Amino acid sequence: MLKVTLQQSTPIQLDVDVSCDSGETLALVGPSGAGKSTVLRCIAGLSIAGQGQILCKNETWFDSNNNINKSPQQRRVGMVFQNYALFPHLTVAGNIKLALDNNIANCQDIIGKLLDQVNLTGLDHRYPAQLSGGQQQRVALARALARQPQVLLLDEPFSAVDKVTRRKLYLELNTLRRHLDMPVILVTHDLDEAAMLADSLCVIHYGKTLQHGSPEQVLHQPINSVVARQVDVRNTLQGRIISQYGQLMLAWHHYVFSVSRLTGFTEGQAVFFALSPAKILLHQRVRPSRGEQENSVVGIIRDRVTLRGITTVLFSVELAKGTILQMDLPEHVAMRNQLNIGEVISVSLLADAIHVMAE
């Protein structure tokens, strides 16, 4: 278990509280300059926070109240930097050997096992310039693991490679991390990457932890509108809680919606709410849909685009001052229902798909 609490006002503001169990991956997400890499550097001992505590497997690495601050060498941390930081004059084996204890007698065997672990067997005599970006990333990862770390830190490890290589590395890391008995902290600005690789996400903005939870919770159930904007939630709208027929409802312009979860909200409260584009139900134009009576909305298609079998439809809701909503559908559904620009469609905003949150 790694537990990190950090606070400071300068030079970079921090108010962070995160934790990660052994064998799990935590992704720190947020905009550039949010403080994500600073948190990693504090964990590694490369930066010192003004206040706080860092605990790793019941061992205190940093405690400002008790003047404890272990050096980077005393913290068993493996770190993969954004640019990999390989030494160009050393071979693959030479770069990995730097992380090994000089007193280890069988270092060549260890290097061989590490290279096998990251699918680089036979490349130990090559230099970084003779490797592709993906291969360099694997060398950096092998070097990080050579320290037998208690924590593995990955700082934007895929940003320097192309998309095709990135997908391969995703699969390799996803396989590798199942065999790592340590917390893995991943810093990334790519939300899809975070959702694919991490067991939990932590949204950081201006150095402050905004929300920490599973990918499903953070990406689809943000606690407030600030988090929703940070994780690029589509269809984030403003409404108001009203009481109708003895129960709380959600009012949006001329519409009144039933919502499955309104616990903690009060009548008259201004709120934000979000709708996943994939959870908006299209009323079939060929035959009626069961959901037509549930939070039905009418709109006009303004644009549509298809990518890899998914058609994204943008439609304006005239009774909501022309507000544009985004809906994602399988391509064959869009074709079957003849969803062309200018066509009038009706959809349902299902009660259990509407996520209401505070301002």
Side-chain angles (χ1 to χ4, degrees):
M1 161 72 83
L2 175 71
K3 184 168 178 56
V4 180
T5 55
L6 302 171
Q7 301 88 30
Q8 68 180 26
S9 55
T10 59
I12 297 176
Q13 183 177 347
L14 287 179
D15 185 6
V16 174
D17 186 354
V18 296
S19 61
C20 183
D21 287 329
S22 294
E24 292 189 350
T25 299
L26 165 67
L28 306 182
V29 298
S32 298
K36 305 184 299 296
S37 294
T38 300
V39 173
L40 281 201
R41 291 178 63 82
C42 287
I43 295 172
L46 301 175
S47 295
I48 304 173
Q51 290 182 308
Q53 188 179 64
I54 299 174
L55 301 175
C56 182
K57 294 185 177 179
N58 298 319
E59 182 181 344
T60 302
W61 286 358
F62 174 71
D63 188 333
S64 57
N65 291 332
N66 294 300
N67 294 319
I68 297 173
N69 182 31
K70 292 196 172 183
S71 68
Q73 293 76 20
Q74 293 172 312
R75 307 181 190 197
R76 284 174 51 194
V77 172
M79 189 163 185
V80 177
F81 296 91
Q82 188 171 351
N83 60 0
Y84 311 141
L86 300 178
F87 291 97
H89 64 289
L90 296 178
T91 63
V92 168
N95 270 278
I96 297 173
K97 189 175 180 180
L98 285 176
L100 294 172
D101 191 326
N102 292 329
N103 297 321
I104 294 179
N106 60 337
C107 65
Q108 292 305 319
D109 291 339
I110 295 174
I111 291 172
K113 290 178 181 178
L114 287 167
L115 290 177
D116 181 59
Q117 199 172 8
V118 297
N119 299 315
L120 285 180
T121 300
L123 300 184
D124 49 325
H125 295 299
R126 291 194 185 183
Y127 289 88
Q130 299 172 311
L131 303 175
S132 67
Q135 290 171 331
Q136 291 182 38
Q137 193 256 21
R138 293 187 187 101
V139 175
L141 181 57
R143 184 178 61 185
L145 294 175
R147 294 196 67 193
Q148 295 184 314
Q150 292 178 310
V151 177
L152 179 62
L153 307 178
L154 307 175
D155 191 2
E156 297 278 6
F158 309 106
S159 61
V161 296
D162 60 81
K163 287 185 178 180
V164 174
T165 302
R166 196 177 302 166
R167 289 193 205 101
K168 294 179 181 177
L169 293 173
Y170 287 162
L171 294 174
E172 290 180 8
L173 179 61
N174 207 35
T175 300
L176 176 63
R177 74 186 186 95
R178 296 194 195 106
H179 305 287
L180 299 178
D181 185 25
M182 67 187 76
V184 179
I185 313 296
L186 167 68
V187 162
T188 179
H189 65 276
D190 189 320
L191 293 169
D192 292 334
E193 180 177 292
M196 184 187 307
L197 297 175
D199 301 293
S200 59
L201 306 185
C202 177
V203 181
I204 296 179
H205 188 49
Y206 290 122
K208 181 179 176 63
T209 299
L210 299 184
Q211 186 173 353
H212 186 179
S214 69
E216 174 68 22
Q217 289 172 328
V218 175
L219 298 179
H220 300 293
Q221 298 173 19
I223 60 173
N224 55 41
S225 60
V226 177
V227 175
R229 285 192 290 269
Q230 294 305 314
V231 299
D232 196 27
V233 171
R234 307 301 168 89
N235 302 329
T236 301
L237 310 164
Q238 289 181 283
R240 182 172 296 278
I241 303 299
I242 65 170
S243 179
Q244 194 172 90
Y245 310 117
Q247 68 179 61
L248 295 179
M249 308 281 281
L250 175 64
W252 182 56
H253 296 285
H254 292 282
Y255 293 99
V256 175
F257 300 141
S258 60
V259 181
S260 297
R261 297 172 296 276
L262 281 177
T263 304
F265 296 97
T266 58
E267 182 180 358
Q269 183 178 354
V271 295
F272 282 82
F273 65 100
L275 291 158
S276 169
K279 295 181 180 179
I280 294 180
L281 177 66
L282 174 70
H283 299 165
Q284 296 185 42
R285 306 172 81 184
V286 179
R287 55 189 174 85
S289 170
R290 288 183 179 180
E292 288 192 10
Q293 300 304 315
E294 185 175 345
N295 298 337
S296 182
V297 169
V298 175
I300 301 173
I301 298 175
R302 300 302 181 187
D303 204 354
R304 54 168 284 181
V305 62
T306 300
L307 179 63
R308 294 181 180 175
I310 299 297
T311 296
T312 296
V313 177
L314 300 179
F315 62 97
S316 62
V317 182
E318 301 307 304
L319 291 180
K321 298 183 178 180
T323 299
I324 299 292
L325 295 183
Q326 177 177 320
M327 174 175 60
D328 291 342
L329 300 164
E331 182 181 6
H332 68 87
V333 174
M335 293 177 62
R336 181 185 301 160
N337 285 275
Q338 300 178 356
L339 300 186
N340 300 314
I341 294 175
E343 296 282 348
V344 176
I345 59 171
S346 64
V347 302
S348 280
L349 312 185
L350 301 180
D352 59 1
I354 297 176
H355 173 62
V356 180
M357 53 197 162
E359 291 186 282

